[in-house]
């Protein structure tokens, strides 16, 4: 990427949606790359809401060591949010406010670190700048444990949750196998994945062969067949003595209804799911009579920095740095995408991709990755998934046996505008 002397102005970085074990590595990449180019970085407190409320953080107040430590610290260092901007026609006031805040602080580059909805926000804001005559460059920075962003080969955050899922499936299965003679016969692990079964598929890395766990994987790409599910569980217990099931939270019945629809919606308008594991556990116990245990890792699976994939951490940092390069080179409405160039040995590179091809698109698990019987992964899936969980990147040890994670000062930038309520 050719370098040029950046124009006057500041860069605004924000985090969005559910955080990951490595999203702060992207933040470190952004801040370190911008500092090297002489650009001041502000961060929005709690994502796009911070920009609307003019709640900005001056990252120049943080030491070099603190920013470096973000590379091994989970969570969202500047706060995140679930807030989707409506269309310009539906809510012109919010868009006008964003430009007003950016103009007041001479912000010329906006980097939004998130998933599908965040890509949509960055795309809308890039178009808004042009429409309102404000020179603004918007770059999406990929992040989502769901691995469902289009164009990019994989999404930062996914490799680590995939590693956590595969390891947890293996370890819990060893526990169940030890006690199956007199105790639990069926263990059900529920993982994230509303429409795309990437995380569920990652559990398949725990073992190979008909008798190796997980014995059943339930993908949201497949219609849940109760009779086939129960028959498979029963046959596995009779053959192996126990059974491990990994279920995506988004599995649906033939009518298209989520098995775990809680009857409410989140801030993005998505159906909130109430727990598919206990639903399946009740079904197995009631119909087959087996003792069942289930687990819902929830936030644990996306925050487990102690078990992060080294590949994932490196990719998260790389897309942050690339986003700054793209912004300062004058690019707009693009995202640094990860391009796989080789499976064995695993190699990858970063290339810009247009946000228009990413926003509001969803990449589901290919049919070629799901075994013919619908309950496991194929060799093709294993070739794709295996490199993404490789390597360890443990955080440094702190006191009392706990990791040494960093907490930033997050010094606020003085406000210049009247208060605004989104």
């Amino acid at each position: 990427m050719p370098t040029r002397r950046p124009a006057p102005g500041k860069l605004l970085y924000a985090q969005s949606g559910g955080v990951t074990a490595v999203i702060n590595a992207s933040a470190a990449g952004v801040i370190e790359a911008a500092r090297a180019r002489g650009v001041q970085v502000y961060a929005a407190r709690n994502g796009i809401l911070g920009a609307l409320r003019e709640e900005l953080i001056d990252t120049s107040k943080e030491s070099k060591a603190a920013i470096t430590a973000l590379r091994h610290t989970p969570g969202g260092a500047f706060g995140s949010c679930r807030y989707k901007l409506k269309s310009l026609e539906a809510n012109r006031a919010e868009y006008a406010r964003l430009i007003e805040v950016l103009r007041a602080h001479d912000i010329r580059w906006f980097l939004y670190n998130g998933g599908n909805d965040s890509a949509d926000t960055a795309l809308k804001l890039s178009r808004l700048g042009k429409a309102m005559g404000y020179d603004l460059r918007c770059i999406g920075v990929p992040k989502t444990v769901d691995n469902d962003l289009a164009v990019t080969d994989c999404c930062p955050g996914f490799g680590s949750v995939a590693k956590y899922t595969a390891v947890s499936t293996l370890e819990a299965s060893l526990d169940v196998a030890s006690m199956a003679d007199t105790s639990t016969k069926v263990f059900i692990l529920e993982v994230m994945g509303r429409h795309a079964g990437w995380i569920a598929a990652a559990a398949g890395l725990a073992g190979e062969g008909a008798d190796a766990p997980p014995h059943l994987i339930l993908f949201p790409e497949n219609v849940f067949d109760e009779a086939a599910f129960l028959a498979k569980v029963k046959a596995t217990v009779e053959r192996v003595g126990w059974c491990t099931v990994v279920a995506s939270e988004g599995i649906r019945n033939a009518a298209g209804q989520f098995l775990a629809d809680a009857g409410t919606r989140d801030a993005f308008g998505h159906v909130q799911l109430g727990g598919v594991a206990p639903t399946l556990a009740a079904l197995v116990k009631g119909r087959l009579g087996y003792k069942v245990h289930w687990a819902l890792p929830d936030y644990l699976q996306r925050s487990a920095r102690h078990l992060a994939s080294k590949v994932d951490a490196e990719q998260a940092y790389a897309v942050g740095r690339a986003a700054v390069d793209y912004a300062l080179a004058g690019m707009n409405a693009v995202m640094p995408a990860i391009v796989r160039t080789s499976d064995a040995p695993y190699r990858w590179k970063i290339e810009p991709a247009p946000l228009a091809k990413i926003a509001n698109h969803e990449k589901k698990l290919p049919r070629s990755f799901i075994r013919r019987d619908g309950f496991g992964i194929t060799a093709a899936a294993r070739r794709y998934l295996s490199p993404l969980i490789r390597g360890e990147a443990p955080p440094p040890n702190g006191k009392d046996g706990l990791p040494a994670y960093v907490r930033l000062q997050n010094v606020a930038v003085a406000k210049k505008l009247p208060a605004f309520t989104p």
Side-chain angles (χ1 to χ4, degrees):
M1 178 68 60
T3 60
R4 72 176 191 181
R5 187 176 184 83
K10 301 180 184 71
L11 183 150
L12 180 64
Y13 166 81
Q15 298 174 324
S16 176
V19 295
T20 78
V22 297
I23 188 173
N24 286 334
S26 293
V30 167
I31 295 168
E32 290 180 353
R35 285 183 176 183
R37 304 283 290 274
V39 174
Q40 187 171 7
V41 178
Y42 285 172
R45 189 183 298 275
N46 299 324
I48 199 68
L49 288 176
L52 287 166
R53 295 167 177 162
E54 199 188 358
E55 294 177 352
L56 309 180
I57 295 164
D58 187 353
T59 69
S60 69
K61 305 298 184 182
E62 306 293 343
S63 68
K64 180 180 179 181
I67 297 304
T68 298
L70 287 178
R71 294 188 67 170
H72 64 253
T73 298
F78 305 108
S80 186
C81 71
R82 294 191 186 279
Y83 190 82
K84 184 172 183 177
L85 291 173
K86 298 178 182 178
S87 68
L88 181 58
E89 295 74 23
N91 202 340
R92 183 174 291 272
E94 285 192 344
Y95 288 94
R97 169 66 175 189
L98 284 171
I99 294 298
E100 185 182 27
V101 171
L102 298 177
R103 193 188 301 274
H105 294 274
D106 193 24
I107 292 166
R108 297 293 173 174
W109 304 284
F110 176 62
L111 274 55
Y112 209 18
N113 199 173
N116 285 306
D117 291 305
S118 308
D120 178 64
T121 296
L123 179 61
K124 286 175 178 174
L125 198 51
S126 72
R127 292 169 174 169
L128 178 67
K130 290 182 180 179
M132 298 186 70
Y134 184 68
D135 185 15
L136 177 70
R137 311 289 171 168
C138 297
I139 309 293
V141 185
K143 174 265 349 169
T144 176
V145 297
D146 294 320
N147 201 40
D148 60 355
L149 286 179
V151 183
T152 187
D153 176 73
C154 59
C155 302
F158 170 68
S160 293
V161 80
K163 188 180 186 82
Y164 178 92
T165 300
V167 172
S168 297
T169 299
L170 175 59
E171 292 178 341
S173 295
L174 291 171
D175 186 302
V176 175
S178 301
M179 298 293 293
D181 186 51
T182 57
S183 186
T184 301
K185 297 290 187 186
V186 179
F187 173 68
I188 302 172
L189 179 68
E190 176 180 336
V191 298
M192 292 178 174
R194 181 180 301 271
H195 299 122
W198 294 101
I199 300 177
L205 296 176
E208 290 188 74
D211 293 347
H215 304 102
L216 289 84
I217 303 176
L218 304 181
F219 304 97
E221 287 83 359
N222 289 342
V223 172
F224 176 71
D225 183 328
E226 180 179 304
F229 165 72
L230 291 171
K232 183 74 170 178
V233 170
K234 186 173 186 293
T236 302
V237 172
E238 291 178 350
R239 185 182 71 254
V240 182
W242 54 281
C243 178
T244 292
V245 178
V246 174
S248 175
E249 64 180 351
I251 58 174
R252 301 172 185 245
N253 59 25
Q257 299 169 318
F258 288 111
L259 261 66
D261 187 341
T264 56
R265 293 182 179 272
D266 66 16
F268 285 144
H270 303 148
V271 172
Q272 289 198 301
L273 304 181
V276 73
T279 300
L280 293 171
L283 180 63
V284 169
K285 183 170 179 55
R287 297 288 295 278
L288 300 179
Y290 296 137
K291 183 176 180 180
V292 185
H293 270 229
W294 58 270
L296 178 62
D298 198 41
Y299 285 10
L300 299 179
Q301 62 197 304
R302 74 185 197 198
S303 62
R305 184 58 186 78
H306 66 287
L307 197 57
S309 154
K310 183 179 180 182
V311 166
D312 192 31
E314 290 174 346
Q315 291 178 337
Y317 182 74
V319 297
R321 293 193 66 93
V324 173
D325 289 340
Y326 296 166
L328 299 187
M331 294 187 188
N332 194 25
V334 299
M335 183 192 84
I338 298 166
V339 178
R340 183 182 300 223
T341 60
S342 172
D343 282 325
Y346 178 57
R347 293 194 180 100
W348 54 277
K349 61 182 179 179
I350 305 291
E351 290 184 351
L355 284 176
K357 291 187 177 181
I358 298 164
N360 300 311
H361 291 78
E362 190 172 47
K363 180 178 68 179
K364 295 190 176 183
L365 197 69
R367 298 303 307 179
S368 62
F369 282 15
I370 302 175
R371 210 168 59 203
R372 187 171 298 178
D373 68 358
F375 291 121
I377 63 171
T378 63
R382 199 172 292 276
R383 284 194 301 273
Y384 168 81
L385 293 165
S386 291
L388 304 183
I389 71 168
R390 287 180 188 160
E392 281 67 49
N397 291 325
K399 62 180 181 178
D400 301 325
L402 294 175
Y405 294 143
V406 68
R407 273 189 173 275
L408 302 183
Q409 300 176 67
N410 285 346
V411 176
V413 175
K415 294 186 177 183
K416 300 181 179 182
L417 301 171
F420 179 86
T421 301

